[in-house]
Amino acid sequence: MTVENDRDNLICVTGDVEDVVYLNEETGYIVLDMNVESTLLTAVGNMGDVREGERLTLYGEYITNAKYGRQFKVDIFERSLPQDVDAIRKYLGSGVIRGLGPSAAKRIVDAFGERTMDILENDPAQLSVIKTITPERAKVIGQEFHNITGLRKVMTFFSKYSIPQYVISAAWKAYGTDLIRAVKDNPYCLCMNGIELHFADAERIAQDIDFPPDSEERVLAGILWVLRMNADEGNCCMRESDLCSVVTRQLIVSDKLYAAALQFAEKQGDIVDSNIYDTRYIYLAEYFRAETYIAERMAEMIKHSDNGNTDCTAEIAGIASEQGIEYEKLQLEAINACLNNRVFILTGGPGTGKTTTLNGVIALFKKRRMRIKLAAPTGRAAKRMADLTGAQAQTIHRLLEVDFSGGNTFKRNEENPLQCDAVIIDEMSMVDTMLFASLLKALKGSTRLIMVGDSNQLPSVGAGNILRDLIDSGQVPMVELTEIFRQAAKSLIVTNAHSIIHGDVPELNDRTNDFFFMPSDSEENTLRLVIELCKTRLPKAYGYDPLDDIQVLCLSRMGTVGTGAVNKELQLALNPPSKSKREMNFIGTLFRDGDKIMQTKNDYDVEWRRGTEKSHGIFNGDIGKIIDTDRINQKCEIDFEGRKAFYDGDMLKKIEHAYAITVHKSQGSEYPAVILPLPNRMDRLSYRNLLYTAVTRAKKTLIVIGTEVKVSSMVYNDRRTERFSCLKPMLEDHFV
């Protein structure tokens, strides 16, 4: 029967499941046919693993699908076990209990009739009266049924809160049949690591079950959530005063209650309280352990260096002669220092000869028969490193051998270190705290570590500011290359980049070089110019491929010239719909065959293939192209520069269109042509380092669109990306 319901005026329908048409096990999205008073109804929504024969009460609304017609879209659902004999037989025969097929289900229902469900729940030992079921098997069937009914109760419990299926699955894995009890005891347990329900969603559940707002559990969860969000923004720690202010203000609790929860969190090892230079900082425990380890290990490596005892001047001169080059003074100093120090930093801006110097280091190490490993934070950065050096390079994750069975863990560590004499890391500014700690753990006591990067680039996406902190400590041996070589000086991209980082307004009126400025007095006009340049002007003038050669970089995701708006327009312009292209809509995002996309989070479980090669892992910043979409099954196949992988379910949340990407996401990459649309307004992202990073991503052509006032204001805004970290003072303390 269909009636109006008081649950937000949703429509209510009740019936038995006839057929499960489609189920996505990761998201819980399901399409099913349901018998409602002898009428077949197609229902769609996130209901998890529903089986034939189950009785459902659904709350939602009728919709019309362009292809499949009238459907019932489910918002809230309630489920109950089947009652009549036919429905019970169909339910048990659906495979809901592992090892129990249609024939065994029939024998059980024939034996117990309408008492079957009661027998399974309360006295499964009775099943052994059936010849084919032993007492041991009866026990297993009973336990399986207990787990299944528990999961269904859990799904029903969470349905009204619109909690994602992957969160429910993680919570079920952690608590099993005790999950509902655990949530009622403390709904904020769902915010813990491994489940990570958003704190606001836990608040909704807490309010619904009348959980006390002044409970220590709530405040503790709030503290940990604020610290995790703080880490997501790049900070390893927070000033205690800031943490107190945020938590007490947002949760509306007293300082006393906050202090008690903080003390409890420290006692159980979730956080660490640290005093640095008379300021109190609060860490999530894992970040404190990482920073203290980095400081200790770096100090050890510095103190056990050769301190310049090896003179390799003659060898370097021989290398220079072989390569037909002449090293300048700082380059010679850097190459020699790499051999005389356990740890060394080579830094410098574009055109200053970092690659030439690095190639000299590699040649020197090879002459001495040293085993070398080259790596970079991203796949694109590693490929670029390999192209520039002519040596094999890989991602740091590959170097450390990601353990795909255990998430973000590595097979290379203190017990199983890397077997090499030197490790060289490029694009060091992109390396975050947790990854750097893992790298150091994988180095033998005698292994040299050479870090190459531009300290003026943006810091890592993950928490920390490793390269900047190491340089600012003044304890790590380093050379900064400053001289712009003659060939590089011919490039306006290079010279303007150096002008920007020194606080000088770049040359904007030279239309004969590789750096072009296009004035635009409105963001709408700026967007129009971006589309024209990508679609026609640059391909016609330079032969650039709009997808492979041109990259639009935006300061942010929001606004008229943010990635969101620009990607929509570029998708329409560069990859319009056609009968030959399949497409699908996933949570409001339209993916189409041929779309340029980017991975936004590390996913160690993605299986990919390249010819006969198979492996796992697609990482943050990897760019690919959709080669096939399947709207019905909500999945697609993506080609990441030769690595082909299938995406569905929760995996699709980790990709987005990449016709335009943020400057932050472009780190470690270079593109033949870069277009940089600047918003007219000033905001928190209008600062020097961001502009510098964007400019240095272009290899051959850079076009900046906006106003001269905007460019000047960004150059004059010398606000570095501020991050809370205590690595610098921790390292300094080892040399006091």
Side-chain angles (χ1 to χ4, degrees):
M1 177 184 279
T2 301
V3 297
E4 291 294 327
N5 188 272
D6 61 359
R7 301 181 78 164
D8 299 323
N9 293 319
L10 298 175
I11 297 171
C12 173
V13 299
T14 299
D16 299 321
V17 178
E18 288 288 327
D19 184 36
V20 176
V21 180
Y22 169 74
L23 170 64
N24 187 309
E25 293 183 358
E26 289 198 33
T27 64
Y29 181 82
I30 194 169
V31 180
L32 56 85
D33 289 333
M34 196 166 81
N35 186 337
V36 182
E37 294 189 346
S38 302
T39 301
L40 203 62
L41 173 72
T42 299
V44 299
N46 293 305
M47 293 177 278
D49 187 11
V50 175
R51 297 286 176 158
E52 297 171 12
E54 280 195 82
R55 190 162 185 82
L56 300 179
T57 298
L58 311 177
Y59 300 88
E61 61 181 340
Y62 288 101
I63 60 172
T64 301
N65 184 284
K67 185 173 182 179
Y68 299 102
R70 194 168 187 249
Q71 297 177 332
F72 189 82
K73 182 176 178 292
V74 179
D75 289 319
I76 301 171
F77 67 94
E78 297 171 354
R79 60 207 308 171
S80 57
L81 294 172
Q83 299 300 314
D84 66 80
V85 170
D86 288 339
I88 294 171
R89 186 183 295 112
K90 181 179 286 188
Y91 175 70
L92 294 180
S94 68
V96 64
I97 296 176
R98 287 176 293 182
L100 196 66
S103 59
K106 184 178 183 302
R107 287 193 295 271
I108 292 173
V109 177
D110 287 347
F112 299 105
E114 292 183 354
R115 296 192 302 124
T116 298
M117 306 311 280
D118 182 63
I119 294 292
L120 286 169
E121 186 167 3
N122 299 309
D123 194 10
Q126 288 196 44
L127 298 177
S128 62
V129 301
I130 299 170
K131 287 184 179 180
T132 56
I133 299 179
T134 65
E136 290 77 16
R137 191 185 177 200
K139 185 177 179 181
V140 171
I141 291 172
Q143 186 59 52
E144 183 78 7
F145 182 79
H146 181 68
N147 289 337
I148 290 166
T149 54
L151 181 57
R152 276 154 175 70
K153 289 176 182 176
V154 164
M155 294 295 299
T156 301
F157 175 82
F158 283 114
S159 68
K160 65 178 177 178
Y161 304 117
S162 300
I163 304 300
Q165 174 69 24
Y166 68 90
V167 172
I168 299 172
S169 297
W172 176 260
K173 191 176 292 183
Y175 292 98
T177 55
D178 291 329
L179 177 57
I180 295 176
R181 179 195 57 76
V183 171
K184 288 181 177 180
D185 287 344
N186 176 17
Y188 300 98
C189 70
L190 298 172
C191 300
M192 63 179 281
N193 283 327
I195 302 176
E196 296 183 354
L197 180 68
H198 196 286
F199 186 79
D201 291 325
E203 288 273 72
R204 287 193 295 109
I205 298 173
Q207 290 167 13
D208 186 64
I209 65 175
D210 294 325
F211 195 78
D214 59 349
S215 68
E216 190 172 278
E217 291 89 349
R218 177 175 179 255
V219 183
L220 173 62
I223 290 171
L224 296 177
W225 184 260
V226 170
L227 288 171
R228 289 191 193 106
M229 293 302 98
N230 184 65
D232 288 344
E233 293 175 358
N235 302 293
C236 291
C237 56
M238 282 185 78
R239 284 192 295 253
E240 190 278 330
S241 57
D242 294 339
L243 179 63
C244 177
S245 176
V246 172
V247 172
T248 55
R249 186 179 67 254
Q250 293 189 359
L251 272 62
I252 316 177
V253 295
S254 67
D255 289 0
K256 184 178 179 181
L257 187 55
Y258 158 80
L262 189 72
Q263 186 177 17
F264 182 76
E266 186 175 7
K267 186 177 180 180
Q268 65 179 21
D270 293 326
I271 66 166
V272 175
D273 187 333
S274 180
N275 283 291
I276 305 288
Y277 297 157
D278 298 322
T279 301
R280 188 182 178 194
Y281 291 94
I282 305 298
Y283 279 85
L284 287 170
E286 60 265 31
Y287 287 101
F288 181 79
R289 288 193 295 269
E291 284 207 336
T292 53
Y293 175 80
I294 291 169
E296 290 170 0
R297 189 70 198 279
M298 292 294 288
E300 176 199 349
M301 294 173 75
I302 294 165
K303 291 174 180 178
H304 289 83
S305 294
D306 296 342
N307 297 318
N309 293 330
T310 303
D311 185 4
C312 50
T313 305
E315 291 173 274
I316 298 172
I319 292 168
S321 178
E322 290 172 6
Q323 298 182 349
I325 58 174
E326 184 176 344
Y327 295 114
E328 58 100 10
K329 182 181 178 182
L330 284 176
Q331 288 180 308
L332 289 170
E333 182 183 330
I335 297 171
N336 196 72
C338 286
L339 197 66
N340 283 282
N341 292 280
R342 284 271 313 283
V343 58
F344 182 77
I345 294 173
L346 174 65
T347 186
T352 57
K354 288 198 303 293
T355 299
T356 300
T357 306
L358 180 57
N359 284 333
V361 172
I362 293 170
L364 177 63
F365 284 0
K366 285 182 175 179
K367 276 187 175 295
R368 289 178 166 251
R369 300 187 180 279
M370 294 171 63
R371 296 166 297 172
I372 315 168
K373 298 233 182 240
L374 276 62
T378 67
R380 294 179 72 86
K383 184 178 183 302
R384 179 169 169 263
M385 188 184 193
D387 292 341
L388 292 173
T389 62
Q392 183 180 357
Q394 58 193 317
T395 65
I396 299 174
H397 289 84
R398 295 280 173 211
L399 175 70
L400 301 181
E401 299 177 22
V402 173
D403 185 354
F404 297 107
S405 64
N408 194 11
T409 59
F410 302 99
K411 295 178 183 178
R412 294 292 183 176
N413 48 44
E414 293 113 322
E415 288 74 36
N416 182 32
L418 294 166
Q419 299 301 312
C420 59
D421 301 304
V423 172
I424 301 175
I425 304 296
D426 198 13
E427 296 291 349
M428 188 62 202
S429 63
M430 298 177 64
V431 178
D432 63 47
T433 297
M434 301 305 290
L435 184 59
F436 191 54
S438 295
L439 174 65
L440 292 178
K441 289 175 183 177
L443 300 183
K444 293 190 299 181
S446 59
T447 302
R448 285 173 169 77
L449 175 62
I450 313 299
M451 295 171 282
V452 184
D454 185 346
S455 61
N456 290 311
Q457 297 284 351
L458 294 171
S460 57
V461 174
N465 200 354
I466 294 292
L467 183 60
R468 186 76 260 163
D469 285 347
L470 294 179
I471 292 173
D472 289 349
S473 75
Q475 304 301 327
V476 184
M478 64 162 287
V479 166
E480 181 179 8
L481 303 177
T482 56
E483 181 181 335
I484 304 175
F485 283 84
R486 195 164 47 211
Q487 187 64 32
K490 296 178 182 178
S491 166
L492 200 55
I493 292 174
V494 172
T495 56
N496 273 346
H498 284 269
S499 295
I500 290 167
I501 210 61
H502 289 114
D504 300 322
V505 177
E507 171 58 57
L508 300 177
N509 298 314
D510 188 341
R511 295 185 171 272
T512 64
N513 209 291
D514 52 8
F515 186 115
F516 303 96
F517 176 74
M518 299 181 71
S520 175
D521 57 2
S522 75
E523 293 184 9
E524 289 74 16
N525 184 58
T526 298
L527 179 58
R528 179 185 61 78
L529 288 171
V530 169
I531 306 304
E532 287 181 7
L533 287 163
C534 291
K535 188 177 181 179
T536 56
R537 294 170 68 168
L538 284 178
K540 184 177 179 180
Y542 297 96
Y544 289 140
D545 184 284
L547 296 183
D548 296 335
D549 298 328
I550 303 172
Q551 185 60 63
V552 179
L553 301 183
C554 304
L555 300 192
S556 72
R557 302 173 67 88
M558 309 302 292
T560 305
V561 290
T563 57
V566 177
N567 269 318
K568 284 184 179 179
E569 294 297 326
L570 284 176
Q571 182 191 39
L572 187 61
L574 304 180
N575 189 33
S578 75
K579 292 182 179 179
S580 63
K581 298 176 185 175
R582 300 207 296 175
E583 58 185 45
M584 69 177 187
N585 194 302
F586 179 78
I587 315 180
T589 300
L590 182 67
F591 292 115
R592 181 178 295 132
D593 291 355
D595 272 344
K596 183 178 180 180
I597 62 93
M598 170 181 278
Q599 183 81 10
T600 60
K601 292 183 178 179
N602 291 339
D603 193 327
Y604 304 96
D605 298 323
V606 178
E607 183 177 301
W608 56 261
R609 67 189 189 283
R610 180 163 48 202
T612 58
E613 180 188 3
K614 287 186 178 180
S615 190
H616 292 79
I618 300 292
F619 303 109
N620 186 8
D622 287 352
I623 288 180
K625 189 179 293 182
I626 296 176
I627 55 180
D628 187 41
T629 59
D630 184 345
R631 182 176 63 84
I632 303 299
N633 296 311
Q634 289 280 285
K635 66 179 182 181
C636 62
E637 186 178 10
I638 304 174
D639 186 341
F640 291 95
E641 298 182 329
R643 297 171 297 157
K644 296 179 180 179
F646 286 98
Y647 275 59
D648 64 3
D650 194 44
M651 298 164 65
L652 292 169
K653 295 180 180 179
K654 300 174 184 177
I655 62 170
E656 61 186 31
H657 290 117
Y659 301 99
I661 63 176
T662 63
V663 178
H664 283 83
K665 288 291 188 182
S666 73
Q667 293 178 90
S669 299
E670 281 190 336
Y671 314 94
V674 166
I675 301 171
L676 178 63
L678 299 178
N680 292 353
R681 67 192 182 283
M682 284 296 294
D683 54 32
R684 64 184 185 87
L685 294 173
S686 298
Y687 57 94
R688 185 186 299 173
N689 282 71
L690 194 70
L691 179 61
Y692 173 77
T693 300
V695 169
T696 55
R697 299 307 90 198
K699 287 196 293 187
K700 297 179 179 179
T701 306
L702 172 71
I703 300 176
V704 180
I705 312 173
T707 66
E708 293 189 25
V709 171
K710 177 70 175 186
V711 175
S712 300
S713 65
M714 291 186 72
V715 171
Y716 296 144
N717 183 6
D718 192 24
R719 178 186 71 84
R720 287 187 178 272
T721 303
E722 296 179 7
R723 292 191 164 182
F724 285 104
S725 161
C726 298
L727 177 60
K728 174 178 174 288
M730 285 179 179
L731 184 56
E732 290 171 342
D733 283 348
H734 286 276
F735 294 90
V736 173

